[in-house]
Amino acid sequence: SFLQLFHELCFPSVCGSAPLNKLGTKIVGGEGAAAGSWPWMASLQHNSEHFCGGSLINNQWVLTAAHCLNSTSDLIVYLGGNAAVDPNPNAVYRTVSQIINHPNYNNETNNNDISLLRLSSPVKFTDYIRPVCLAANGSVFEAETTCWVTGWGDIAENSENGFCRCKMFC
């Protein structure tokens, strides 16, 4: 089942390790992230254009939103970079060999808006490419728990697209 596959894929031993992340005090709002700060972030691209983000959960699977996906045609996953469009020596690209949407995904309501992407070949973990840790079943997060939200987008008006991070309360 989707949930069993999801659980089996989501707990690699190196998850959540970001050796290049030099976090300091941050405020609510976006700011640029240094290369390697969030090594699990993925950029989903068509024709070299970023259209959605995702998170690497092991060496061959990316977790993303189901509403982002129609098919594997021309879909590229960009990993290891800190700008969605700028090439760099730490980045790798992979095509997608399989898309598995949550079986109860509803594209009208976006309920169960989650999907797994199988990369065409595994990636090697580096300081710039590592999987995220996912919460275990039954995890509880109290109100106002501080967390980080990362994504690809503008960090200020008229800025270049890049990798940003925001501190927020969950």
Side-chain angles (χ1 to χ4, degrees), residues 26-133:
K26 305 297 175 199
I27 60 171
V28 174
E31 67 180 57
S37 295
W38 309 100
W40 40 82
M41 282 299 302
S43 169
L44 280 54
Q45 301 182 2
H46 278 293
N47 300 319
S48 299
E49 295 282 329
H50 168 82
F51 67 90
C52 265
S55 295
L56 186 68
I57 60 172
N58 70 21
N59 68 346
Q60 201 166 1
W61 290 88
V62 170
L63 178 67
T64 191
H67 77 263
C68 292
L69 306 165
N70 292 326
S71 74
T72 59
S73 177
D74 299 324
L75 176 58
I76 300 293
V77 177
Y78 172 81
L79 297 157
N82 64 321
V85 293
D86 293 338
N88 74 57
N90 306 306
V92 299
Y93 294 87
R94 293 290 189 272
T95 57
V96 173
S97 62
Q98 184 179 13
I99 296 174
I100 303 173
N101 287 336
H102 189 287
N104 297 324
Y105 169 59
N106 182 319
N107 63 355
E108 293 178 14
T109 65
N110 279 337
N111 287 343
N112 302 299
D113 189 14
I114 190 168
S115 186
L116 294 168
L117 306 178
R118 181 192 294 264
L119 302 178
S120 57
S121 62
V123 294
K124 180 182 175 191
F125 295 146
T126 68
D127 285 350
Y128 300 90
I129 300 172
R130 290 181 180 230
V132 68
C133 291

Side-chain angles (χ1 to χ4, degrees), residues 28 142-149 166-170:
V28 174
E142 300 297 326
E144 297 189 18
T145 298
T146 301
C147 63
W148 290 93
V149 175
C166 307
K167 184 177 180 181
M168 64 175 287
F169 290 102
C170 297

